Amino acid sequence: MIVTTAQLFKHAYGKYAVGAYNINNAEQAMGLFKGCVQSQAPFIIQLSKGARKYTDKRMLEAIIRAAGDVFPEAIYAVHLDHGDEQTCYECIDSGFFSSVMIDASHDPFDQNVAITKRVVEKAHAKGLSVEAELGMLGGVEEDIKVEDGNACLTDPDEAKDFVNKTGCDSLACAIGTSHGAFKFKGRQSLHFDVLEKIKARLPGYPLVMHGSSSVPKDEVDRINAAGGKIKDSMGVDPTEYLPAAKLGVTKVNIDTDGRLVWTRVHREYFRDNPGDFDFRPPGKIFIEEYAKFIASRNQLLGSAGQLTDLRASLGVRKDQFAKV
Ligand code: G3H
Ligand code: 13P
Ligand code: ZN
């Protein structure tokens, strides 16, 4: 059942974080739905611009619709990840999305405000919510002085000003993470101090953490043992998800970890079966492994086991399948 992102945030805020997982194909969709139903967790499906172009945006939307039929118990929202203004409008008009992210974080503050405001007006008119971003992710490393590193982090006063000026519904904050598999050199902790200050200025307001993959060492070791060459990888400590959730982080974005599961499964499969050329056996293994990974993340996010309570708060029965 597709619900609005706002409904998920209302239920989760301050208690747990909703996992927001990027998908690109049918195998990922199967694993994601399976893992979330197994762990009884609500979730957000994220589609990036690249994912929408990978085959065809209509393919991906049809896969998600079909997955909703295959797993009628699932409760989820569909979100555009890192949209530009034009793509936001396309998704708002499509009638398929629950929410969009406008990412104008690389523009100067005033321009970010102006662009975000335009998207908010169009999205709200159609009942969608908007995530925006302030601060810049990436490059927060131990060998950069803390002052330099902090320059990339979201400024708590600016965050309040930005939300007031734009009316955006959630805010992606830079609190020390970055996208991809190489997040830190040595230090591996979120900037809880910054998070606390943002929460104090925006009480009750949903915050979003991008670049949240944990880049598990055993996963990377297995990839490298099967021929991969991923060096110096480092992710977020996943035991920090829940403490962050208590400080207002309501959506945690995970993409890279899913790619690592895919790479490990396929590298190992073809290493062990060098004469094979049927993609279905590794595809099947991937679906199961990805489902297991998703369920484990939902446990750490605190979203596992929330479906019954969420369903009650939405006033829907378990056997109901409809757009709320
Ligand atoms: O933050 C970006 C996500 O990991 C999506 O990546 O644009 O390569 O699909 P992508
Ligand atoms: P990771 O690269 O850490 O998985 O982050 C994904 C993300 O932020 C998608 O928007
Ligand atoms: Zn991101």
Side-chain angles (χ1 to χ4, degrees), residues 22 46 81-82 178-180 183 210-213 253-256:
N22 292 70
Q46 309 209 109
D81 190 29
H82 292 284
S178 61
H179 292 112
K183 299 187 192 299
H210 283 245
S212 311
S213 279
N253 287 11
I254 298 175
D255 183 9
T256 297

